[in-house]
Amino acid sequence: MKITKLKTWQVPPRWLFLKIETDEGCYGWGEPVVEGRAATVEAAVHELADYLVGQDPHRIEHLWNTLYRAGFYRGGPILMSAIAGIDQALWDLKGRDLNVPVYQLLGGKVRDKMRMYAWTGGDRPGDVGEGASRLVEQGFTAFKMNGSSEMQIVDSHRKIDEAVGRVAEAREAVGPDVGIAIDFHGRVHRPMAKSLLRELEPYHPMFVEEPVAPEHLPCLKHIAGGLGYPLATGERLHTRFEFRDLLAEGMIDIVQPDLSHCGGISEGMKIATLASCHDVALAPHCPLGPLTLAASLHVDAVNHNAFIQEQSMGIHYNQDNDVLDYLVDKSALSIKDGFCAIPQGPGLGVEIDEAFVEARAKIGHRWRNPVWTHEDGSIAEW
């Protein structure tokens, strides 16, 4: 069997789908995308196709190393996201060809279903208590919320009070047993994070995510020691090597690799194993589409340290289309009582409606994240 073609589609709301085809009619789907940079990743995928066409798709590890190591410049969000989608598609293709789910190829599942969480609120969170209550009524036992809007490197304590107040509102709405994840999106800088992280302790977060931007993660060992709840990060780290020092220094409790950004299933498995060596939990990042979610669930299925999975159904970004819209069988990723069964079909276990993809690709997208500024006109972290 030889790879013959890589086909891509930009589809609403902000995704890029990839299909790898072969001379024997077998195929696989993946989702190589950086939110807001879909066209750039798409170009990278087609550049990497030069290394893939004519090759045996079953040699996944060899092809991964070719894509990563044959380029003198490596790593980063664009190249690793391109590799990620290709890797997902190769695993999907291999599972389809052998008629087994990907998790069987990875060693077999350690769980039958995965605990899921959903989002409430938008970029600038509001009405979080009401939104959280609705999610609990739907059966979710955990949810995530943005913790703050823009915050200056040194800001007024009022901003901290507002962030803590939103968490207090959410906790009061859902009671003590529901998990609350608080995502600060790297919007908080070290001088403010020192106070903010400690003032959240009475509300017992399930975890706090990206309290500082990834380039400032080394400061966590100085400002977050002794906290009574877990810290999580990893969506903007792209290789096992970027996780290595973070884990060795004991700076984080939960790793959140994104299977569409970190080199795919192959690299995600290595990151999960590395985390397990440090007794660190796994919670893959996934505010994306059905293929990223399916890939994440297969990684969750075989890693004992995986404990919860993000998904984007109903998230505020998903305008025009949502996760299940692109599936032939929407039950493959259905969530019941806060859990999603590990997909059982061959490959990733989801069948993409290619005709619908073609139709929606004619609409396409040009999604960009908001650009925020502080009162003085300087650029704020989004």
Side-chain angles (χ1 to χ4, degrees):
M1 185 186 296
K2 303 297 181 186
I3 296 170
T4 56
K5 186 182 295 184
L6 281 73
K7 298 167 65 176
T8 53
W9 299 265
Q10 292 185 46
V11 295
R14 55 178 189 163
W15 305 331
L16 178 70
F17 289 171
L18 162 69
K19 185 181 183 184
I20 295 181
E21 298 180 340
T22 67
D23 58 355
E24 295 186 12
C26 196
Y27 60 87
W29 288 86
E31 196 170 328
V33 69
V34 170
E35 301 91 303
R37 299 290 182 267
T40 311
V41 178
E42 185 174 33
V45 167
H46 289 290
E47 288 180 334
L48 292 172
D50 293 347
Y51 299 92
L52 296 168
V53 172
Q55 299 299 311
D56 177 359
H58 283 283
R59 299 184 66 190
I60 298 174
E61 189 71 14
H62 173 68
L63 293 175
W64 194 99
N65 277 283
T66 300
L67 298 177
Y68 181 79
R69 299 181 188 280
F72 185 74
Y73 298 98
R74 57 187 68 165
I78 301 303
L79 293 177
M80 295 308 294
S81 297
I83 292 173
I86 292 168
D87 181 82
Q88 292 169 10
L90 291 173
W91 281 105
D92 187 40
L93 190 156
K94 188 164 188 171
R96 289 174 183 275
D97 189 40
L98 300 176
N99 198 32
V100 294
V102 166
Y103 70 74
Q104 292 286 24
L105 302 175
L106 299 174
K109 59 184 178 178
V110 301
R111 56 178 54 85
D112 298 318
K113 60 183 181 179
M114 192 65 191
R115 185 186 180 198
M116 311 294 285
Y117 68 85
W119 270 86
T120 186
D123 284 334
R124 287 190 172 95
D127 300 323
V128 293
E130 181 182 347
S133 297
R134 285 198 299 269
L135 292 174
V136 172
E137 291 171 2
Q138 294 171 27
F140 287 99
T141 61
F143 65 91
K144 187 156 77 176
M145 55 181 282
N146 271 316
S148 70
S149 55
E150 60 267 50
M151 191 177 291
Q152 281 274 21
I153 187 167
V154 176
D155 214 320
S156 69
H157 203 278
R158 176 178 59 84
K159 292 286 187 73
I160 292 176
D161 292 340
E162 289 172 353
V164 173
R166 280 188 287 270
V167 177
E169 175 191 344
R171 178 56 75 200
E172 182 178 1
V174 301
D177 298 325
V178 174
I180 301 178
I182 309 161
D183 187 355
F184 284 102
H185 233 235
R187 295 170 183 168
V188 186
H189 295 269
R190 174 176 174 161
M192 305 302 292
K194 288 193 293 185
S195 175
L196 175 57
L197 291 175
R198 281 166 175 76
E199 293 200 24
L200 291 171
E201 284 196 288
Y203 306 101
H204 306 297
M206 180 172 67
F207 60 80
V208 165
E209 178 177 336
E210 276 203 324
V212 295
E215 55 264 40
H216 301 307
L217 287 175
C219 80
L220 290 179
K221 60 186 174 184
H222 303 295
I223 67 174
L227 284 176
Y229 58 81
L231 291 179
T233 197
E235 69 189 73
R236 290 189 275 180
L237 304 178
H238 306 106
T239 68
R240 75 197 91 152
F241 310 110
E242 293 181 58
F243 283 90
R244 178 183 56 198
D245 294 340
L246 186 69
L247 290 164
E249 292 286 341
M251 290 185 280
I252 210 71
D253 307 295
I254 302 166
V255 293
Q256 299 173 297
D258 188 306
L259 275 293
S260 278
H261 299 333
C262 76
I265 292 170
S266 297
E267 190 75 348
M269 287 290 294
K270 295 176 176 69
I271 293 165
T273 300
L274 181 62
S276 74
C277 294
H278 297 272
D279 204 22
V280 165
L282 172 70
H285 179 255
C286 184
L288 292 168
L291 293 157
T292 311
L293 179 55
S296 300
L297 288 167
H298 284 277
V299 171
D300 293 329
V302 300
N303 284 285
H304 193 269
N305 56 334
F307 84 103
I308 200 163
Q309 177 60 55
E310 181 175 26
Q311 53 82 32
S312 75
M313 297 176 203
I315 200 170
H316 52 287
Y317 304 124
N318 288 0
Q319 300 178 9
D320 301 322
N321 283 112
D322 213 324
V323 174
L324 302 182
D325 294 349
Y326 291 95
L327 299 184
V328 173
D329 177 9
K330 295 172 175 45
S331 68
L333 294 176
S334 63
I335 298 172
K336 182 179 180 181
D337 298 327
F339 285 83
C340 184
I342 306 302
Q344 295 299 300
L348 292 177
V350 296
E351 193 63 56
I352 296 295
D353 184 341
E354 189 168 346
F356 186 71
V357 169
E358 291 275 7
R360 297 308 291 160
K362 293 176 182 176
I363 305 298
H365 67 85
R366 195 173 174 83
W367 188 86
R368 298 290 184 268
N369 63 254
V371 177
W372 287 359
T373 57
H374 295 296
E375 187 176 359
D376 63 4
S378 60
I379 292 291
E381 296 284 353
W382 172 76

